[in-house]
Amino acid sequence: MADDSILSVKNVSVEYLTESGRFAAIQNMNFDLGEGETLGLVGESGCGKSTTGRAILQLPRPTSGQVVFDSVDLTRIPQRDMRPIRRRLQIIFQDPVSSLNPRRKVKDIVAEPLVIAGVGTRSDRDAKVREVLSAVGVDPDISMDRRPHQFSGGQCQRICIARALILEPTLIVCDEPVSALDVSVQAQILNLLEDMKARYGLTLLFISHDLAVVKNISDRVAVMYLGKLCEIADSGRIYDSPAHPYTAGLIASIPVFDAGSSGRGERAVLAGEIPSPLSPPSGCRFRTRCRFAQQKCREEEPPLRQIDERHHVACHFPLLA
């Protein structure tokens, strides 16, 4: 664990039991998250991004590996000791509307973490609710006595962010927080997250399938494919010089007005279907869709190795910068 890291994920795997047997949703995940940093976790649907976020929060605990948060291994402590730590770990869900209880008023929804944690009196909690609602751009005088169905998707997501902030956490897992919103609203929520990060000193794990969205908010980007990390680097580096063919394919898929000006036309857009996670390919999991695959890719699984400062890739034949 690096000296400035608030979170360290070490060899974390999550397995599920199905009718066909056990399969690993994520396998041997390794990364650190520095205090005050935003790490973008990207990949196609079903690659294990949300599972990774929930494994960090111990929802449920991973099958194996360690999740070290502020020098405490969360996978080893009893559940009763997790309760105070959970105040420092929060999550923003993908669907803002369904993650809010439709039968409860906004003031009760946002105050619920304080009630569960036993923080403050009722008047103290009301004051705190007003504070965080105002911070996320929701008028407390208008919103507190209303219910979720009376708000738009963007407003509901602001309320979800207020709920996540109410306990003043250290780390927030943002699980595709803008994917269900219109493009114009996405920009507002991303700007809000940046403002809240600066105001409350947050560390963010930002999960998304959209590399264009991640680029605007992340300090570093980690790319997943079929339950494993295939590349991790600083945001600028990974967009300018991707080393893994899968990363290059994702970047080439980002819509642009003038493809010629970005050089993306020279890179291969992703083709083919994602293999079943129940039976992943031997060796490199991406080899069945990779135009650079060779015999070694079939026989040996590439380890995640460092190719430059703060740049790691799991590829036998990484692309040249």
Side-chain angles (χ1 to χ4, degrees):
M1 188 170 181
D3 294 338
D4 62 342
S5 295
I6 191 71
L7 176 76
S8 184
V9 175
K10 303 178 180 180
N11 297 315
V12 167
S13 297
V14 174
E15 296 181 351
Y16 294 116
L17 183 63
T18 69
E19 293 180 356
S20 303
R22 300 184 69 89
F23 85 98
I26 59 173
Q27 190 172 0
N28 297 329
M29 292 286 290
N30 288 276
F31 61 86
D32 291 338
L33 188 53
E35 187 171 3
E37 181 183 28
T38 299
L39 175 66
L41 187 60
V42 301
E44 293 169 288
S45 296
C47 71
K49 305 184 297 297
S50 296
T51 302
T52 300
R54 291 174 183 270
I56 291 171
L57 300 174
Q58 310 298 291
L59 297 172
R61 284 186 169 176
T63 307
S64 61
Q66 296 176 288
V67 178
V68 181
F69 174 69
D70 201 11
S71 302
V72 177
D73 185 358
L74 304 183
T75 64
R76 300 289 186 267
I77 63 176
Q79 286 292 344
R80 64 178 179 273
D81 294 336
M82 272 297 299
R83 193 176 184 91
I85 295 176
R86 289 195 188 282
R87 294 176 56 177
R88 303 180 59 200
L89 298 167
Q90 294 295 313
I91 184 170
I92 301 170
F93 295 99
Q94 179 174 354
D95 188 341
V97 178
S98 64
S99 66
L100 300 175
N101 189 330
R103 302 178 66 180
R104 304 192 70 188
K105 295 180 179 180
V106 166
K107 64 181 180 183
D108 297 322
I109 291 172
V110 178
E112 186 173 20
L114 295 175
V115 175
I116 293 173
V119 176
T121 63
R122 185 178 183 88
S123 60
D124 293 335
R125 293 194 291 267
D126 285 345
K128 187 65 176 177
V129 169
R130 285 182 170 274
E131 176 190 330
V132 295
L133 285 175
S134 297
V136 300
V138 177
D139 188 340
D141 293 326
I142 297 175
S143 64
M144 288 181 64
D145 288 319
R146 293 185 177 181
R147 290 178 170 79
H149 73 273
Q150 296 176 282
F151 297 90
S152 68
Q155 289 172 320
C156 284
Q157 194 61 289
R158 290 174 183 269
I159 294 168
C160 291
I161 294 171
R163 179 178 57 185
L165 292 173
I166 195 79
L167 287 173
E168 299 182 2
T170 303
L171 170 67
I172 297 181
V173 174
C174 306
D175 188 4
E176 304 229 26
V178 297
S179 64
L181 305 176
D182 293 338
V183 174
S184 59
V185 181
Q186 287 183 8
Q188 296 174 18
I189 297 300
L190 291 175
N191 290 335
L192 174 61
L193 287 172
E194 286 284 85
D195 292 343
M196 294 301 100
K197 177 185 173 182
R199 178 168 178 170
Y200 291 95
L202 300 172
T203 301
L204 303 179
L205 176 65
F206 190 92
I207 297 170
S208 178
H209 63 275
D210 190 338
L211 267 164
V213 169
V214 170
K215 180 180 181 180
N216 294 324
I217 197 171
S218 303
D219 301 304
R220 286 189 302 148
V221 175
V223 183
M224 285 188 70
Y225 185 77
L226 273 187
K228 288 199 169 189
L229 279 180
C230 59
E231 187 167 5
I232 182 168
D234 291 336
S235 180
R237 171 79 177 184
I238 213 165
Y239 282 88
D240 294 337
S241 303
H244 199 284
Y246 177 61
T247 307
L250 290 177
I251 294 173
S253 300
I254 299 175
V256 292
F257 290 108
D258 184 2
S261 64
S262 67
R264 291 179 191 155
E266 301 174 1
R267 302 173 184 167
V269 178
L270 291 174
E273 296 294 330
I274 302 176
S276 169
L278 296 173
S279 181
S282 62
C284 175
R285 297 189 172 199
F286 184 63
R287 65 174 177 80
T288 58
R289 303 173 68 192
C290 180
R291 60 173 177 159
F292 305 108
Q294 300 183 30
Q295 185 63 27
K296 184 177 183 180
C297 303
R298 178 187 297 272
E299 298 172 349
E300 299 178 24
E301 183 176 354
L304 190 69
R305 59 189 177 90
Q306 184 171 353
I307 59 170
D308 203 345
E309 185 179 3
R310 291 170 59 87
H311 194 170
H312 295 74
V313 64
C315 182
H316 293 304
F317 309 102
L319 303 176
L320 297 178

